[in-house]
Amino acid sequence: MKRIAIITSGGDAPGMNAAIRAATLTAISSGCEVFGVKRGYQGLITGEIMELTSMAVSEILHQGGTVLHSARSKEFQTVEGREKAAIQLRNLGVEGIIVIGGDGSFRGARELSNLGFATVGIPGTIDNDIQCTDLSIGFDTALNTVLDSITKIRDTAVSHDRVYVVEVMGKNSGFIALYAALAGGADAVLVPEIEPDLDQVIKRIHTVNRIGRRHSIVLVAEGVYGDPLSGRSFTESAAFKVGTYLNLKVKKDIRITILGHIQRGGSPSALDLTLGTRFGAKAVDVLLAGENGKMVGWVDHDVQVSAMDEAIARKKQVEPEIFKLAEILAST
Ligand code: ATP
């Protein structure tokens, strides 16, 4: 294999640039030429493709987001769109493709595989909802951003004896909410995987009050009442819904905060830089070994390779025992 293309697709995640850099440098050191596709599969269709040299990736390591940009492409989900993309790749003589993204992006990669290109996926999504890997690029940085925000919100919650409902990202997945609740000592957490029980949240707020603490933090994943973007208005955010209910039932000053897209940005954490780097290098090794339809992942503190089909068979869900632990810690 002499020519490899790299695509970042779906939501951007801090650490994607580390994967682009490591894949590029590893491939060049093995005598390959490397191309970066801009704007995901849409850029592949329209031919927004640039050569990636050592110089091109030399200062990207610590940047958040993705220097290749990302996009969602409806056209790539059509046979005609994918054929246009394949023509672009064939014209450049690309044989192997590294796709950095979430499970939707991997479904796209599988289609490229069906068209005769060797593909390998790198899990890059702050949601951490991809199977066959303990961690996806971006999750750790997003989690640290949420923790930092909770710490700041807690200061004002304490000062004013308030209840803060804090909404974090996770349309279908509660990993950010649950792990931030554990690491940040939240009093209640609501995740999409588990039916929300607002009366239980109220009980917690009362328990906390009884032990003499007059403030509370309630963490809510944005998708706890379904995908927030599927037809509902902004005022129907999960935080708004929970906050409104608590306001009716609890005699306390209730405030809501939606953290939003600050969770996607910022310099990658050391862990995400390490994961991105290890994944990028391994993805090239996988392609050069002649493999196809694989995903690299982080399992038992090492990089492992799995079948992409297995990784996208279903979304990874939060562990019920970790949710139980968060409940025990919050109600005692
Ligand atoms: P995130 O988890 O951050 O949302 P993702 O990779 O799951 O990332 P999606 O929007 O689901 O994000 O997918 C990214 C792109 O992958 C889509 O815009 C589309 O171009 C392509 N894609 C998704 N599913 C398919 C499919 N079944 N066939 C072909 N292409 C697909």
Side-chain angles (χ1 to χ4, degrees):
M1 182 171 300
K2 284 281 161 220
R3 290 186 163 186
I4 290 174
I6 303 174
I7 300 178
T8 50
S9 166
D12 62 311
M16 281 182 163
N17 288 328
I20 294 168
R21 172 182 174 269
T24 301
L25 297 179
T26 307
I28 290 172
S29 77
S30 301
C32 295
E33 276 180 279
V34 188
F35 296 91
V37 179
K38 293 194 120 182
R39 298 188 174 75
Y41 292 121
Q42 195 54 39
L44 187 55
I45 290 171
T46 54
E48 279 192 81
I49 303 172
M50 60 194 260
E51 188 173 355
L52 290 177
T53 59
S54 309
M55 185 57 204
V57 299
S58 70
E59 286 299 330
I60 67 171
L61 184 58
H62 298 97
Q63 288 176 35
T66 159
V67 291
L68 292 178
H69 299 242
S70 189
R72 321 251 179 201
S73 171
K74 283 215 164 71
E75 195 179 355
F76 190 77
Q77 289 176 322
T78 65
V79 174
E80 296 75 20
R82 290 196 292 273
E83 197 42 53
K84 285 186 200 165
I87 290 169
Q88 299 284 0
L89 291 169
R90 285 187 202 117
N91 285 346
L92 277 173
V94 168
E95 296 161 276
I97 301 155
I98 296 173
V99 175
I100 308 170
D103 58 334
S105 302
F106 293 166
R107 283 194 183 86
R110 195 171 49 181
E111 296 294 344
L112 287 175
S113 207
N114 293 339
L115 289 169
F117 302 97
T119 59
V120 57
I122 295 180
T125 165
I126 64 167
D127 288 339
N128 200 38
D129 58 354
I130 300 186
Q131 293 207 118
C132 305
T133 184
D134 297 336
L135 292 168
S136 296
I137 295 173
F139 172 61
D140 184 64
T141 308
L143 189 56
N144 278 295
T145 301
V146 172
L147 265 183
D148 180 53
S149 305
I150 297 175
T151 306
K152 287 171 176 154
I153 288 168
R154 187 184 295 282
D155 287 345
T156 188
V158 170
S159 303
H160 288 275
D161 299 333
R162 283 180 184 146
V163 174
Y164 271 85
V165 178
V166 182
E167 182 180 304
V168 299
M169 282 190 165
K171 284 201 274 289
N172 304 295
S173 152
F175 280 97
I176 294 179
L178 180 56
Y179 281 78
L182 274 190
D187 300 296
V189 56
L190 301 173
V191 295
E193 294 92 333
I194 294 165
E195 190 68 30
D197 183 347
L198 292 188
D199 293 322
Q200 192 61 29
V201 173
I202 292 172
K203 253 193 187 158
R204 297 258 171 70
I205 293 170
H206 288 146
T207 306
V208 163
N209 262 271
R210 265 200 305 281
I211 63 167
R213 179 150 63 76
R214 299 170 76 150
H215 67 275
S216 294
I217 306 278
V218 178
L219 275 180
V220 181
E222 63 181 329
V224 72
Y225 294 107
D227 184 344
L229 296 181
S230 62
R232 294 192 291 126
S233 74
F234 288 120
T235 53
E236 284 177 275
S237 67
F240 185 80
K241 210 165 169 166
V242 173
T244 304
Y245 188 80
L246 296 185
N247 210 24
L248 285 174
K249 303 270 182 171
V250 181
K251 287 191 183 63
K252 287 194 77 74
D253 188 359
I254 313 282
R255 299 295 171 108
I256 65 168
T257 298
I258 299 174
L259 295 186
H261 284 81
I262 61 162
Q263 293 164 87
R264 282 200 184 279
S267 292
S269 66
L271 180 55
D272 279 328
L273 288 168
T274 309
L275 282 180
T277 300
R278 297 280 311 270
F279 285 170
K282 186 68 174 182
V284 171
D285 292 346
V286 167
L287 286 180
L288 295 183
E291 300 213 65
N292 182 12
K294 302 288 183 190
M295 185 195 82
V296 297
W298 190 251
V299 181
D300 293 337
H301 306 284
D302 203 0
V303 184
Q304 309 253 338
V305 180
S306 345
M308 203 184 273
D309 279 347
E310 198 188 333
I312 61 176
R314 69 189 73 82
K315 278 189 184 285
K316 188 171 76 177
Q317 301 217 316
V318 293
E319 309 86 338
E321 65 277 14
I322 304 289
F323 187 80
K324 189 89 205 136
L325 173 62
E327 284 198 313
I328 291 169
L329 296 178
S331 57
T332 311

Coordinates of all heavy atoms in Angstrom, one line a residue, residues 184-223:
G184 N -17.3 14.4 40.1 CA -17.6 15.7 40.6 C -18.5 15.7 41.9 O -18.8 16.8 42.4
G185 N -18.8 14.5 42.3 CA -19.7 14.4 43.5 C -21.0 15.1 43.4 O -21.5 15.8 44.3
A186 N -21.7 14.8 42.2 CA -23.1 15.3 42.0 C -24.1 14.6 43.0 O -23.8 13.5 43.4 CB -23.5 15.2 40.6
D187 N -25.2 15.3 43.2 CA -26.2 14.7 44.1 C -27.2 13.8 43.4 O -27.9 13.0 44.0 CB -26.9 15.8 44.9 CG -25.9 16.6 45.7 OD1 -25.3 16.0 46.6 OD2 -25.7 17.8 45.4
A188 N -27.3 14.0 42.1 CA -28.2 13.1 41.3 C -27.7 13.2 39.8 O -27.1 14.2 39.4 CB -29.6 13.6 41.4
V189 N -27.9 12.1 39.1 CA -27.6 12.1 37.6 C -28.6 11.4 36.8 O -29.2 10.4 37.3 CB -26.2 11.5 37.4 CG1 -26.1 10.1 38.0 CG2 -25.8 11.5 36.0
L190 N -29.0 12.0 35.7 CA -30.0 11.4 34.8 C -29.3 11.1 33.4 O -28.7 12.0 32.9 CB -31.1 12.4 34.6 CG -31.9 12.8 35.9 CD1 -32.9 13.9 35.6 CD2 -32.6 11.5 36.5
V191 N -29.4 9.9 33.0 CA -28.7 9.5 31.7 C -29.8 8.9 30.8 O -30.8 8.3 31.2 CB -27.6 8.5 32.0 CG1 -26.5 9.1 32.8 CG2 -28.1 7.2 32.7
P192 N -29.5 9.0 29.5 CA -30.5 8.4 28.5 C -30.8 6.9 28.6 O -31.9 6.5 28.3 CB -29.9 8.7 27.1 CG -28.9 9.8 27.4 CD -28.4 9.6 28.8
E193 N -29.8 6.2 29.1 CA -29.9 4.7 29.2 C -30.9 4.3 30.3 O -31.3 3.1 30.3 CB -28.6 4.1 29.4 CG -27.6 4.2 28.3 CD -26.7 5.4 28.4 OE1 -27.1 6.4 29.1 OE2 -25.5 5.4 27.9
I194 N -31.2 5.1 31.2 CA -32.0 4.7 32.4 C -33.1 5.7 32.6 O -32.9 6.9 32.6 CB -31.1 4.6 33.7 CG1 -30.0 3.5 33.5 CG2 -31.9 4.4 34.9 CD1 -28.9 3.5 34.4
E195 N -34.3 5.1 32.7 CA -35.6 5.9 32.9 C -35.4 7.0 34.0 O -35.1 6.7 35.1 CB -36.7 4.9 33.3 CG -38.1 5.5 33.2 CD -38.6 5.8 31.8 OE1 -38.1 5.1 30.9 OE2 -39.3 6.7 31.7
P196 N -35.6 8.3 33.6 CA -35.4 9.3 34.6 C -36.5 9.3 35.7 O -37.7 9.0 35.4 CB -35.5 10.6 33.8 CG -36.3 10.3 32.6 CD -36.0 8.8 32.3
D197 N -36.1 9.4 37.0 CA -37.1 9.4 38.1 C -36.9 10.8 38.8 O -36.0 10.9 39.7 CB -36.8 8.2 39.0 CG -37.8 8.1 40.1 OD1 -38.5 9.1 40.4 OD2 -37.9 7.1 40.8
L198 N -37.7 11.8 38.5 CA -37.5 13.1 39.1 C -37.8 13.1 40.6 O -37.3 13.9 41.3 CB -38.3 14.1 38.3 CG -37.8 14.4 36.9 CD1 -38.5 15.6 36.3 CD2 -36.2 14.6 36.8
D199 N -38.8 12.3 41.0 CA -39.1 12.3 42.4 C -38.0 11.7 43.2 O -37.8 12.1 44.4 CB -40.4 11.5 42.6 CG -41.6 12.2 42.0 OD1 -41.6 13.4 42.0 OD2 -42.4 11.5 41.3
Q200 N -37.2 10.8 42.6 CA -36.0 10.3 43.3 C -35.0 11.5 43.4 O -34.3 11.6 44.5 CB -35.4 9.2 42.4 CG -34.3 8.4 43.1 CD -34.8 7.7 44.4 OE1 -36.0 7.3 44.5 NE2 -33.9 7.5 45.3
V201 N -34.9 12.3 42.4 CA -34.0 13.5 42.5 C -34.4 14.4 43.6 O -33.6 14.9 44.4 CB -34.0 14.2 41.1 CG1 -33.2 15.5 41.2 CG2 -33.5 13.4 40.0
I202 N -35.7 14.6 43.7 CA -36.2 15.5 44.8 C -35.9 14.9 46.2 O -35.4 15.6 47.1 CB -37.7 15.6 44.7 CG1 -38.0 16.5 43.4 CG2 -38.3 16.3 45.9 CD1 -39.4 16.6 43.0
K203 N -36.0 13.5 46.3 CA -35.7 12.8 47.6 C -34.2 13.1 47.9 O -33.9 13.4 49.1 CB -35.8 11.3 47.4 CG -37.0 10.7 48.1 CD -36.8 9.2 48.0 CE -38.0 8.5 48.6 NZ -38.1 7.2 48.1
R204 N -33.3 13.1 46.9 CA -31.9 13.3 47.1 C -31.7 14.7 47.7 O -30.9 14.9 48.6 CB -31.1 13.2 45.8 CG -31.2 11.8 45.3 CD -29.9 11.0 45.5 NE -30.2 9.7 45.1 CZ -30.3 9.4 43.8 NH1 -30.1 10.3 42.9 NH2 -30.6 8.2 43.5
I205 N -32.3 15.7 47.0 CA -32.2 17.1 47.4 C -32.6 17.2 48.9 O -31.9 17.9 49.7 CB -33.0 18.0 46.5 CG1 -32.4 18.0 45.1 CG2 -33.0 19.4 47.0 CD1 -33.2 18.6 44.0
H206 N -33.7 16.5 49.3 CA -34.1 16.6 50.7 C -33.1 15.9 51.6 O -32.9 16.4 52.7 CB -35.5 16.0 50.8 CG -36.6 16.9 50.2 ND1 -37.7 16.4 49.6 CD2 -36.6 18.2 50.1 CE1 -38.4 17.4 49.1 NE2 -37.8 18.5 49.4
T207 N -32.6 14.8 51.2 CA -31.6 14.0 52.0 C -30.4 14.9 52.3 O -29.9 15.0 53.4 CB -31.1 12.7 51.3 OG1 -32.3 12.0 50.9 CG2 -30.2 11.9 52.1
V208 N -29.9 15.5 51.2 CA -28.7 16.4 51.3 C -29.0 17.5 52.3 O -28.2 17.9 53.2 CB -28.4 17.0 49.9 CG1 -27.5 18.2 50.0 CG2 -27.8 15.9 49.1
N209 N -30.3 18.1 52.2 CA -30.7 19.2 53.1 C -30.7 18.7 54.6 O -30.3 19.4 55.5 CB -32.1 19.7 52.7 CG -32.0 20.9 51.9 OD1 -31.9 22.0 52.4 ND2 -31.9 20.7 50.6
R210 N -31.2 17.5 54.8 CA -31.3 16.9 56.1 C -29.9 16.8 56.8 O -29.8 17.0 58.0 CB -32.0 15.6 56.1 CG -33.5 15.7 56.4 CD -34.1 14.4 56.9 NE -33.9 13.3 55.9 CZ -34.6 13.1 54.8 NH1 -35.6 13.9 54.5 NH2 -34.3 12.1 54.0
I211 N -28.9 16.4 56.0 CA -27.6 16.3 56.6 C -26.9 17.6 56.8 O -25.8 17.7 57.2 CB -26.7 15.3 55.8 CG1 -26.4 15.8 54.4 CG2 -27.2 13.9 55.8 CD1 -25.2 15.1 53.7
G212 N -27.6 18.7 56.4 CA -27.1 20.0 56.7 C -26.4 20.7 55.5 O -25.9 21.8 55.7
R213 N -26.5 20.1 54.3 CA -25.9 20.8 53.2 C -27.1 21.4 52.4 O -28.0 20.7 52.1 CB -25.1 19.8 52.3 CG -24.5 20.4 51.1 CD -23.2 19.7 50.7 NE -23.4 18.3 50.3 CZ -23.9 17.9 49.2 NH1 -24.3 18.8 48.3 NH2 -24.0 16.6 48.9
R214 N -26.9 22.7 52.0 CA -28.1 23.4 51.5 C -28.0 23.6 50.0 O -28.9 24.2 49.4 CB -28.3 24.7 52.2 CG -28.5 24.4 53.7 CD -28.5 25.7 54.5 NE -29.8 26.4 54.3 CZ -30.3 27.1 55.3 NH1 -29.7 27.3 56.4 NH2 -31.4 27.8 55.0
H215 N -27.0 23.1 49.4 CA -26.9 23.2 47.9 C -26.9 21.8 47.3 O -26.5 20.9 48.0 CB -25.6 24.0 47.5 CG -24.4 23.2 47.8 ND1 -23.8 23.3 49.0 CD2 -23.7 22.4 47.1 CE1 -22.7 22.5 49.0 NE2 -22.6 21.9 47.9
S216 N -27.2 21.8 46.0 CA -27.2 20.5 45.3 C -26.8 20.7 43.9 O -27.1 21.7 43.3 CB -28.5 19.8 45.3 OG -28.9 19.4 46.6
I217 N -26.1 19.7 43.3 CA -25.8 19.7 41.9 C -26.5 18.4 41.3 O -26.3 17.3 41.7 CB -24.3 19.5 41.6 CG1 -23.5 20.6 42.4 CG2 -24.0 19.5 40.1 CD1 -23.4 22.0 41.7
V218 N -27.3 18.7 40.2 CA -28.0 17.6 39.5 C -27.5 17.6 38.1 O -27.6 18.6 37.4 CB -29.5 17.8 39.5 CG1 -30.2 16.7 38.7 CG2 -30.1 17.9 40.9
L219 N -26.9 16.5 37.7 CA -26.3 16.4 36.3 C -27.3 15.7 35.4 O -27.9 14.7 35.7 CB -25.0 15.7 36.3 CG -23.8 16.4 36.7 CD1 -22.5 15.5 36.6 CD2 -23.6 17.6 35.7
V220 N -27.5 16.3 34.2 CA -28.5 15.8 33.3 C -27.9 15.6 31.9 O -27.3 16.6 31.4 CB -29.7 16.7 33.2 CG1 -30.8 16.2 32.2 CG2 -30.3 17.0 34.5
A221 N -27.9 14.5 31.3 CA -27.5 14.3 29.9 C -28.5 14.9 29.0 O -29.7 14.8 29.2 CB -27.3 12.8 29.6
E222 N -28.1 15.6 27.9 CA -29.0 16.3 27.1 C -30.1 15.4 26.5 O -31.2 15.9 26.2 CB -28.2 17.0 25.9 CG -27.5 16.1 25.0 CD -26.7 16.7 23.9 OE1 -27.1 17.8 23.4 OE2 -25.7 16.2 23.5
G223 N -29.8 14.2 26.3 CA -30.8 13.3 25.6 C -31.6 12.4 26.6 O -32.2 11.4 26.2

